[in-house]
Amino acid sequence: MLIEGARKLSGEVEVQGAKNSALPILAATILSGGENVLCNCANISDIDAAVGILRYLGGSVSRHHTTMLVNTDSLCRFDIPHDLMREMRSSIVFLGAVLSRHKRARLSFPGGCELGPRPIDLHLKALRQMGAVINEHHGILDCYAPKGLMGTKISLSFPSVGATENILLAAVNAKGTTTLTNAAREPEIVDLAEYLNKCGAKIYGAGEGIIVVDGVGKLHGTQHTIIPDRIVASTLLSCAAVTGSEILLKGIISQHLSSVISIFEEAGCKVKADKGEISFCAPERLNAVKNIRTMPYPGFPTDAQAPLMSALTVARGTSCFVENIFESRFKHVGELLRLGANIKVEGKVAVVEGVSGLSGALVEAQDLRGAAALITAGLAAEGTTEVTGIKYLERGYDSFETVLSDLGASVRKV
Ligand code: UD1
């Protein structure tokens, strides 16, 4: 991606559908069978990977712009091969759905990823509590539930998003009631539960710390619109903030962005959040933000940390980030230094000393949100910034170069 920076952005932008909602909902179609119509599915490679898995398992999927038609009536396989699993670490969310549907699942261990080790112990412990027998050997997870899955009381030691999703997928068709304590409260969990309830599931309390699921045995297909992507929205706000611009975000749910909005307000931005829109006006130079701690929702999202850090590289004063969710989530820092930023990392803390400007350079993205962060910084940098590793960006951002060009940026994919 080639970016000619130091230009202001202006105009309106419609935010794409949420990747992190679409992925578990695509997995959930395995449970429902019948015809599913999913609207607002972004055109991104992680969704392509999920579609690849559904097709391999025997489902039929077609796409018309952002609408997907999914039918899983003829699903015949319970295994997911290594090459499909490794394309996307979050493919582990297929485990609960496949196991529930076939009483069997065989898939390769997802292993680590760009963000460091990503264990799935919480997923496996919960499924075992529900009656699954899981053998792990040679990197393969072999799972059986000969008598079907059984509802039970589960308490997560950490509110893992993926584990909460897997438990919901396993519980909706289980025998009896599952009570999940310390569940993740992310909006994407609520979206998954809403989809499943439309299909006939009985899930109560999604979005709160305790979720109760009454197993129903059978679901049917439905139509559902994926919620807007709060991380793409946060990235666009970072892009406007770093360039001192005024933009209007449309098609969003502003409550999902509360923790992000309050940080931008602290940085001196004027934010008017209506239900479905945010009008955003950044000052010529941002103020530093003393303390940004990533936390499970409703705290500040780890996925928004990297783009916000780019914005604050040019703020007046010193900002401090504490990354509490993932171990290796500062890979963008080394590349931001090449653009002239002044950042020091010590463990899970990054201290950003604001500089008066950035200058374009060749930089390499190493993960999805890091890629978005480098583009954010490139928008502010004098001269040309060349960002390689764009395949990471394309995992989660639909036509990002067009979205930014429509706002007046000079961004070109070559
Ligand atoms: C999801 C999101 C990701 C986001 C993350 C945190 C999707 C597809 N991805 O990832 O974009 O950054 O939530 O908001 O929705 N953990 C364990 N054992 C487990 C599971 C998790 O130790 O069994 C740890 C992880 O290593 C990590 C933390 O818990 O440190 C959070 O992980 P989790 O909430 O599960 O994130 P994901 O579902 O993988």
Side-chain angles (χ1 to χ4, degrees), residues 20 90 118-123 160-162 302-303 325-326 329:
N20 290 352
S90 45
R118 296 201 45 183
I120 53 165
D121 54 308
L122 302 175
H123 303 234
S160 154
V161 174
T302 172
D303 289 349
I325 309 292
F326 289 109
R329 220 170 191 181

Side-chain angles (χ1 to χ4, degrees), residues 10-14 246-250 277 403 406-407:
S10 68
E12 306 179 356
V13 52
E14 194 83 30
E246 191 172 346
I247 64 167
L248 180 70
L249 291 191
K250 297 177 79 168
E277 289 185 352
V403 170
D406 289 349
L407 289 172

Side-chain angles (χ1 to χ4, degrees), residues 3-21:
I3 305 154
E4 298 297 331
R7 291 174 190 225
K8 283 206 187 280
L9 308 181
S10 68
E12 306 179 356
V13 52
E14 194 83 30
V15 175
Q16 70 182 62
K19 166 177 93 67
N20 290 352
S21 258

Side-chain angles (χ1 to χ4, degrees), residues 13 47 67 106 108 129 162 195 259 317 324 348 365 367 380 385 399:
V13 52
I47 289 189
T67 301
R106 193 194 305 131
S108 71
Q129 281 178 269
Y195 162 79
S259 61
N324 289 310
K348 60 181 194 169
D367 61 62
T385 297
S399 316

Side-chain angles (χ1 to χ4, degrees), residues 127-148:
L127 292 174
R128 284 185 172 119
Q129 281 178 269
M130 296 179 78
V133 177
I134 305 176
N135 295 313
E136 303 167 52
H137 46 78
H138 305 300
I140 303 285
L141 291 165
D142 223 335
C143 315
Y144 305 79
K147 295 187 198 139

Side-chain angles (χ1 to χ4, degrees), residues 46-356:
D46 267 11
I47 289 189
D48 293 343
V51 168
I53 292 174
L54 279 174
R55 288 196 176 128
Y56 176 85
L57 293 170
S60 95
V61 186
S62 59
R63 177 191 267 279
H64 306 275
H65 304 291
T66 54
T67 301
M68 309 264 253
L69 302 180
V70 186
N71 190 315
T72 56
D73 275 341
S74 56
L75 224 67
C76 49
R77 304 192 68 115
F78 58 80
D79 65 304
I80 305 177
H82 181 65
D83 53 337
L84 290 178
M85 281 300 288
R86 64 178 293 183
E87 267 185 54
M88 179 179 60
R89 136 79 221 192
S90 45
S91 48
I92 191 64
V93 79
F94 278 84
L95 174 59
V98 174
L99 186 60
S100 167
R101 170 93 181 234
H102 292 298
K103 299 195 172 68
R104 232 192 127 181
R106 193 194 305 131
L107 33 94
S108 71
F109 209 88
C113 76
E114 313 93 61
L115 305 181
R118 296 201 45 183
I120 53 165
D121 54 308
L122 302 175
H123 303 234
L124 302 186
K125 184 178 170 203
L127 292 174
R128 284 185 172 119
Q129 281 178 269
M130 296 179 78
V133 177
I134 305 176
N135 295 313
E136 303 167 52
H137 46 78
H138 305 300
I140 303 285
L141 291 165
D142 223 335
C143 315
Y144 305 79
K147 295 187 198 139
L149 293 165
M150 252 97 56
T152 187
K153 289 198 167 86
I154 299 170
S155 179
L156 289 175
S157 56
F158 179 87
S160 154
V161 174
T164 300
E165 290 165 350
N166 250 330
I167 294 164
L168 291 189
L169 293 171
V172 286
N173 280 341
K175 287 189 202 101
T177 300
T178 303
T179 306
L180 174 61
T181 313
N182 202 21
R185 293 185 283 163
E186 270 68 2
E188 293 76 19
I189 302 286
V190 178
D191 205 25
L192 172 65
E194 277 181 9
Y195 162 79
L196 286 166
N197 283 343
K198 281 188 204 167
C199 296
K202 292 197 169 143
I203 303 173
Y204 310 97
E208 293 161 32
I210 298 179
I211 303 180
V212 177
V213 185
D214 285 333
V216 291
K218 198 166 168 33
L219 301 181
H220 52 77
T222 192
Q223 171 158 352
H224 184 75
T225 300
I226 305 291
I227 56 167
D229 197 312
R230 61 196 168 97
I231 305 303
V232 171
S234 309
T235 306
L236 288 164
L237 295 181
S238 297
C239 292
V242 79
T243 50
S245 303
E246 191 172 346
I247 64 167
L248 180 70
L249 291 191
K250 297 177 79 168
I252 50 131
I253 301 173
S254 56
Q255 301 93 286
H256 293 173
L257 288 150
S258 302
S259 61
V260 174
I261 289 171
S262 66
I263 296 281
F264 280 115
E265 284 175 335
E266 211 178 317
C269 302
K270 292 209 164 61
V271 189
K272 237 193 260 154
D274 217 342
K275 224 173 160 202
E277 289 185 352
I278 290 181
S279 92
F280 183 88
C281 181
E284 271 314 307
R285 191 164 184 198
L286 298 171
N287 300 324
V289 180
K290 296 262 165 325
N291 195 358
I292 302 129
R293 305 167 73 85
T294 65
M295 303 287 262
Y297 189 84
F300 187 85
T302 172
D303 289 349
Q305 175 255 109
L308 175 69
M309 188 182 291
S310 292
L312 293 176
T313 57
V314 288
R316 192 178 290 110
T318 306
S319 303
C320 184
F321 288 79
V322 183
E323 174 54 61
N324 289 310
I325 309 292
F326 289 109
E327 270 177 38
S328 310
R329 220 170 191 181
F330 287 139
K331 285 195 178 150
H332 47 284
V333 168
E335 303 303 292
L336 289 175
L337 299 183
R338 295 162 78 82
L339 296 169
N342 181 354
I343 307 170
K344 289 197 176 58
V345 174
E346 183 77 45
K348 60 181 194 169
V349 177
V351 177
V352 182
E353 214 55 82
V355 294
S356 57

